[in-house]
Amino acid sequence: MHDTAREIARRFFAMYVHDRSVIVEIGARDVNGTLREVCPGCAAYIGLDVEPGSGVDVVTSAEEPLPVAAESADVVVASSVFEHDTFFWQTFLEMGRIAKPGAVIYINAPSNGTYHRYPTDNWRFYPDCGQALELWARKNGYLLHLVESFIAERAGDIWNDFVAVFMKGPTRSLDRVQYLSDDVPCTNVWRTGETSVQRARELSEDMLLIKRLREEADNLRGGDAQPEPIRDEAALLISEIKLLREHLASLIDRTESVHKSLDLVDAVQRSEGERLRNALIHCTSEAASLLESLQETQARARSTFANSASSGTGCKDTKVIGM
């Protein structure tokens, strides 16, 4: 029996059970605790279960009528049982059958929690289950009315309990001074005679915890919720990364500029080299032409002076260049 199941049951007995004489518990075998432990000692207590064991006074069969006379119990209780019951709605009718007029019926069943087979795990219970069970009982001829129901907040364990208290009788009007839901941290409270849920909350406590953890994770990723030394170191690292990225971007720009300059130099060098090669070819051609003209001129000069010498009319001091 988990912590809140035990504590809420203790408060239920203290609040609802005073001079009651006969208490019947459905699923009474002591596996990890039993309601008998928190029940007033003056009561006559009858524990029913499908298996013999500690806490079991009468062994019954699953899916069969309870071996208890009709309208004989002042209080009928079932805690952490309905999730394992294949036909819990039939068991609820049996609880209504054995309850005396004016008797109290108490149910505690998980609204969340792990998969735990004993021997099966079939159901979870939500805020409006109390009204549904009341309607089911009345459709089957049992005048049960919901006094209160709620979803209890967890304590040290993982469970949220759906808790419902019913009374057997012809009227729905109760003048209660105190409710369990006033004494237990809880949400989604229904009470007799009320037409709307009190302390309504859409998210289950599991979902709310997940939402808070996600918000905390988002804050940690953003740095807002970090301890100051870690936050300062993170800020320095972020600044350093920013500077490195800026330097890298600058280096990339410079590298691209160098590539463009190299391409331009290559283009200019190729163009200048072509021009020089063409000029060299032109100069070589012109030099060859000049050499050819020079050779022709020298030949003519030799021929002219040779003719002059033979005729005696030439100038003796005259020399032909290159001869």
Side-chain angles (χ1 to χ4, degrees):
M1 181 184 300
H2 59 275
D3 51 2
T4 50
R6 177 186 297 274
E7 178 58 22
I8 295 170
R10 184 189 68 77
R11 297 187 185 195
F12 162 75
F13 283 126
M15 188 177 298
Y16 281 90
V17 181
H18 302 291
D19 55 353
R20 310 291 184 177
S21 57
V22 179
I23 298 175
V24 176
E25 180 183 359
I26 313 300
R29 186 182 178 195
D30 186 354
V31 177
N32 55 357
T34 173
L35 297 186
R36 193 191 296 254
E37 299 171 352
V38 294
C39 177
C42 61
Y45 203 101
I46 302 172
L48 307 180
D49 211 313
V50 295
E51 295 179 356
S54 174
V56 180
D57 300 301
V58 178
V59 177
T60 185
S61 299
E63 303 170 16
E64 295 292 332
L66 298 176
V68 179
E71 299 188 348
S72 61
D74 296 290
V75 181
V76 186
V77 297
S79 182
S80 302
V81 173
F82 272 22
E83 72 269 30
H84 305 297
D85 191 338
T86 306
F87 302 112
F88 70 86
W89 49 91
Q90 292 299 121
T91 301
F92 181 69
L93 291 182
E94 279 295 287
M95 295 171 77
R97 179 184 67 80
I98 68 174
K100 293 178 180 179
V104 181
I105 297 173
Y106 170 84
I107 296 170
N108 185 319
S111 187
N112 69 338
T114 58
Y115 178 49
H116 59 296
R117 304 182 74 238
Y118 198 79
T120 59
D121 190 7
N122 306 310
W123 318 104
R124 294 293 181 268
F125 294 79
Y126 288 91
D128 294 343
C129 291
Q131 293 95 318
L133 286 172
E134 178 188 82
L135 180 62
W136 170 246
R138 287 173 174 267
K139 287 179 71 68
N140 285 273
Y142 296 106
L143 294 179
L144 303 181
H145 56 269
L146 179 67
V147 179
E148 62 174 321
S149 68
F150 54 86
I151 305 296
E153 297 288 90
R154 67 182 62 186
D157 213 327
I158 63 171
W159 304 95
N160 291 106
D161 303 324
F162 164 78
V163 178
V165 179
F166 302 85
M167 279 193 175
K168 186 174 182 179
T171 178
R172 290 179 56 93
S173 61
L174 291 175
D175 184 18
R176 290 197 60 81
V177 176
Q178 190 178 13
Y179 288 88
L180 264 180
S181 48
D182 289 328
D183 204 30
V184 174
C186 60
T187 60
N188 297 314
V189 179
W190 285 101
R191 291 177 178 172
T192 185
E194 295 181 350
T195 58
S196 61
V197 65
Q198 305 299 313
R199 291 177 240 164
R201 188 175 71 194
E202 181 179 358
L203 296 180
S204 67
E205 192 169 8
D206 282 344
M207 297 172 67
L208 191 60
L209 288 170
I210 291 171
K211 180 175 181 291
R212 288 171 181 167
L213 288 172
R214 285 176 175 168
E215 290 172 351
E216 289 178 9
D218 290 341
N219 288 336
L220 287 172
R221 282 193 290 267
D224 294 338
Q226 294 174 354
E228 187 172 345
I230 297 176
R231 187 167 61 247
D232 292 344
E233 184 177 355
L236 288 174
L237 289 172
I238 291 170
S239 298
E240 186 174 349
I241 290 170
K242 183 179 179 181
L243 288 174
L244 288 173
R245 285 177 175 172
E246 290 175 354
H247 287 313
L248 180 60
S250 176
L251 182 59
I252 291 172
D253 291 340
R254 288 166 55 197
T255 302
E256 291 178 351
S257 177
V258 169
H259 277 302
K260 290 179 181 178
S261 297
L262 287 173
D263 291 341
L264 180 61
V265 168
D266 288 343
V268 170
Q269 287 180 342
R270 285 194 296 272
S271 176
E272 183 66 14
E274 188 68 25
R275 187 186 68 78
L276 291 175
R277 280 193 295 271
N278 291 336
L280 179 59
I281 292 171
H282 178 74
C283 289
T284 301
S285 177
E286 187 174 354
S289 177
L290 289 173
L291 180 59
E292 184 180 356
S293 298
L294 177 60
Q295 290 173 346
E296 290 177 354
T297 302
Q298 288 177 337
R300 288 200 306 270
R302 284 195 296 270
S303 177
T304 300
F305 282 106
N307 291 333
S308 296
S310 61
S311 62
T313 59
C315 180
K316 293 180 179 180
D317 296 328
T318 305
K319 292 183 179 181
V320 179
I321 297 174
M323 293 186 64

